[in-house]
Each structure stands twice: as structure tokens, then as C-alpha cells.
Amino acid sequence: MNHKPYGSLGIRSKVDAQLSTWSGYRSILEVMNSHPEADFFLAGGAIRDILLKRVGLPKDFDFFLGSGDFAEIISSLKKHGRVIEGPFGSPRWFPDSTEGDYADVISISAFFNGLSYCSSITDVLNQFDFTGNAIALNLRNGRVHDPQDGIRDLCDRVLRMVRFDYPDEPIRPGHPLNRTTVLWFRILHYAALLNLDIEPVTLRWLNDHIKYRIEVDVVTRYLFKPNDFYLKPLKEMEV
């Protein structure tokens, strides 16, 4: 399949066109321009959905910040909305100008997914859940970061886990949910939601950890309601 239409310039123009309709984006750009020393990256679901040509704006956005004074930037965002602590400990910003939409604003140096701390956006993306999410756009220079070939997989409508070595530990100290449990539900949930085919190695990992399905009520309580796809016997999905 030809992946050329999804080059950096095309992705930047698609992101600008889509997010220009979200009033919170104007505040993000205003804060970014007032902190020229900081790198601002948009990553995850917003870019994924644009590449999949999904209709409508996402309800949440993931912004990763490198360099600069992170605390000062969060203080600047508070002038444009409300900031609370998100479920994984990062600031979650609700713009004054929107209803229900929010953005998770994450410091690259503080991002930790149970593996190792990060010093670059590439380090961050290499610890994401699946390749189609592991794409980031530098909002300053338009450069696209795609270390896991997520654009290729989205074009082929394939869901592929980035890695399989996440520790089976709480997402935060004392939290009832483990990282691998959340990962298991997220993979199945997004495969169904986005109509993506799960590649064989990822599917084998899901089958090997099918015990996690009993945690559906805990996942629903603390994070999101998984798609009913998780009820389908995984063996039926094998090709």
C-alpha cells in the first residue's frame, strides 16, 4: 500500500485543519507562543483518528512538553481553564471555551509507563500501547515522529502492540488497576472501536493474558467502559 500521502506536510495540514475547529487549540497555541523555549508535541488518538479519517473531533487530546518550565506552562493554562490531576498523575486541562473536552498535558521528562523515564519524544512513543497511537507532531516545526511505523499500520488497518514487557504493577502506587490489565483492555477496545485487525503476535499476547477480562468492572470504574468486543472468545479472532 502507498503510504506517501501521509507525509509530514500532509499530517500537519490535516491536524491544523481539524484542530482549528476546537477552541481549546487556540489557547494551546497561545501558551506555546508565550513559552518559546518549550517543545510542544501532539500525540496519540487525535493524530490516529485524523489518519483514519474518522468523523468529528476527539474529546481528549495528548500534549507532550519538552524543555521549558513545565510548572509555569501549567500555570499559564490555568488562565484558560481548569486543571485537575488525571488518572495517571499528569495534569488534565479543561478549557473554559469547551464543554467536556480536555487535554492531558504531560512532561516528557516525567512520563513513566513502568519501563524507563524519557528524555525525548521518541523515548515516549517507544513506550506507547500500540503503533497507531505512537505518532507525534511537533507543533512548532511540523515534524512528524513515527518510530514504530504507526502510519504504515494505520494505512493497513492493523493494530500492533509496541512492546510486551510492561511490568504487572499498579498504574500508580496503591491503585487497584495494573498496567498490563489496562493495556489488555485498551488493545481489544480500540481494535473494535477503530475496526482494526489485530496482528498475530499481539493476538497471542491477548490470549495468554485472557485472565484480565475479569477486571472489566474496575477498568470501567476508573478509566473507561471497554467495548463489548472483549467478551468475544479471542481464539475466534485468530487467522
Side-chain angles (χ1 to χ4, degrees):
M1 182 177 290
N2 182 9
H3 303 150
K4 190 174 180 180
Y6 295 105
S8 294
L9 183 60
I11 292 175
R12 177 61 188 265
S13 63
K14 290 176 185 296
V15 168
D16 284 343
Q18 187 86 327
L19 267 65
S20 65
T21 63
W22 178 51
S23 56
Y25 192 47
R26 291 192 289 273
S27 296
I28 287 285
L29 294 179
E30 180 179 328
V31 171
M32 182 181 77
N33 291 333
S34 66
H35 294 273
E37 76 288 353
D39 292 321
F40 278 64
F41 299 91
L42 174 68
I47 295 178
R48 176 202 70 212
D49 287 356
I50 288 171
L51 294 179
L52 288 174
K53 301 179 181 178
R54 301 191 76 212
V55 177
L57 274 173
K59 291 296 184 182
D60 60 273
F61 304 87
D62 296 308
F63 293 97
F64 286 85
L65 275 55
S67 305
D69 188 328
F70 185 74
E72 180 61 31
I73 292 171
I74 297 302
S75 294
S76 297
L77 284 173
K78 288 180 179 178
K79 299 175 183 177
H80 300 271
R82 179 171 58 97
V83 176
I84 66 171
E85 185 179 70
F88 293 94
S90 297
R92 176 165 287 181
W93 174 63
F94 293 83
D96 285 333
S97 54
T98 64
E99 294 185 8
D101 300 346
Y102 64 85
D104 287 323
V105 185
I106 305 154
S107 168
I108 287 176
S109 62
F111 178 77
F112 183 67
N113 208 11
L115 297 167
S116 61
Y117 287 97
C118 303
S119 61
S120 69
I121 190 62
T122 298
D123 291 342
V124 169
L125 298 175
N126 284 336
Q127 297 186 50
F128 266 35
D129 49 4
F130 62 94
T131 61
N133 274 343
I135 305 167
L137 173 70
N138 186 320
L139 297 179
R140 290 202 184 278
N141 59 26
R143 180 185 176 190
V144 173
H145 298 260
D146 181 23
Q148 294 289 332
D149 286 330
I151 295 174
R152 174 203 62 194
D153 284 343
L154 290 178
C155 288
D156 293 340
R157 303 203 68 84
V158 168
L159 190 147
R160 185 188 315 275
M161 281 176 57
V162 170
R163 54 197 303 167
F164 301 88
D165 57 345
Y166 299 94
D168 196 17
E169 65 182 20
I171 59 174
R172 296 175 63 185
H175 200 284
L177 274 173
N178 278 12
R179 296 183 187 279
T180 44
T181 302
V182 173
L183 181 63
W184 192 86
F185 277 98
R186 280 180 60 86
I187 296 301
L188 283 172
H189 175 78
Y190 282 107
L193 180 68
L194 304 173
N195 192 28
L196 301 177
D197 294 324
I198 302 174
E199 60 87 27
V201 178
T202 298
L203 185 59
R204 188 178 309 123
W205 183 88
L206 292 168
N207 271 306
D208 289 344
H209 295 82
I210 200 168
K211 63 181 181 181
Y212 292 139
R213 75 164 71 197
I214 66 173
E215 300 292 331
V216 60
D217 291 338
V218 186
V219 173
T220 300
R221 177 182 176 186
Y222 288 99
L223 293 180
F224 65 96
K225 180 174 174 52
N227 190 294
D228 288 344
F229 190 68
Y230 82 93
L231 292 171
K232 183 176 181 178
L234 295 176
K235 295 293 185 183
E236 295 179 11
M237 294 158 37
E238 294 193 74
V239 294

